[in-house]
Amino acid sequence: MKTEEYKISENAKEWKNISVDDDFDNNIFDFVMEEKFKLLNYTYEYIDRMYEDIANFPRKHELVKNKLVETSFELLERISSGNYSHNKKYKKQMADEAVSKVKTLYFLLHMIEKDKMISNKMIHKLRLQLDNISKCLVGWRKAISWNYLEEDIIEKI
């Protein structure tokens, strides 16, 4: 059964027809990909690519595959939680935890490369995406620390 929803567009001049049927998951992913926080977008793209690349993962390395997937989603959760929080201390904690998740992912990719579980080309692309995430994480942590420092200075004055 196909259902439809109507939504007013951002400029409030026209109604937009949104189909809500079997491709509901795709609509959700498209909505998520419209995120303005670049770090989240990089993480979504990384997880999407990672899922494609590990589709034919060797069965004997199932533990590494599961850890890769689990850690990737934990990374997404930390970034998302920190981004939407208004508590600076919590935000900094989530950013720090996200950095540790990225380091774990780099190590897992190293293990995957060493045991040739997927092609070097796939690993290289995943590393490039992790590099983008890592760079954004460093910038995000600096911004959080700077804002946290500013608030402390203002409170002391």
Side-chain angles (χ1 to χ4, degrees):
M1 178 177 177
K2 186 173 180 176
T3 59
E4 293 183 356
E5 287 183 11
Y6 291 92
K7 175 183 167 186
I8 197 157
S9 69
E10 290 189 25
N11 60 11
K13 291 183 181 174
E14 61 186 44
W15 286 88
K16 195 174 184 182
N17 185 2
I18 300 173
S19 175
V20 183
D21 55 4
D22 296 338
D23 63 347
F24 181 71
D25 293 333
N26 292 336
N27 289 336
I28 292 296
F29 193 69
D30 290 342
F31 166 75
V32 168
M33 292 301 290
E34 293 176 11
E35 180 65 49
K36 292 179 182 169
F37 190 44
K38 189 187 285 189
L39 180 54
L40 276 174
N41 285 329
Y42 284 151
T43 308
Y44 297 146
E45 291 167 8
Y46 163 77
I47 290 173
D48 191 41
R49 162 141 333 250
M50 181 259 315
Y51 250 100
E52 289 176 17
D53 291 350
I54 66 169
N56 296 321
F57 217 71
R59 189 174 284 254
K60 69 179 184 178
H61 297 292
E62 197 74 23
L63 180 66
V64 175
K65 175 184 176 180
N66 291 341
K67 189 64 178 172
L68 182 67
V69 171
E70 178 186 336
T71 306
S72 298
F73 280 104
E74 287 173 355
L75 170 66
L76 175 63
E77 184 179 342
R78 299 310 188 277
I79 293 170
S80 185
S81 294
N83 181 46
Y84 292 111
S85 176
H86 296 292
N87 183 332
K88 300 288 183 197
K89 200 172 196 176
Y90 179 76
K91 202 177 271 253
K92 185 175 182 333
Q93 177 187 351
M94 289 297 103
D96 290 342
E97 288 181 20
V99 168
S100 73
K101 297 297 177 188
V102 168
K103 290 183 180 190
T104 303
L105 289 170
Y106 274 120
F107 177 72
L108 289 169
L109 288 178
H110 171 73
M111 287 180 61
I112 290 167
E113 180 181 39
K114 186 178 82 172
D115 290 346
K116 301 185 184 324
M117 296 176 208
I118 59 176
S119 75
N120 287 342
K121 185 178 179 181
M122 290 177 182
I123 291 169
H124 178 70
K125 288 180 181 180
L126 288 172
R127 276 200 184 119
L128 288 176
Q129 288 182 309
L130 274 180
D131 288 345
N132 286 335
I133 292 169
S134 186
K135 289 174 189 174
C136 284
L137 263 175
V138 169
W140 186 41
R141 285 175 66 207
K142 285 181 181 178
I144 293 167
S145 295
W146 181 253
N147 289 339
Y148 197 63
L149 182 64
E150 280 181 336
E151 287 178 358
D152 285 347
I153 293 170
I154 290 172
E155 285 178 8
K156 290 179 182 178
I157 295 178

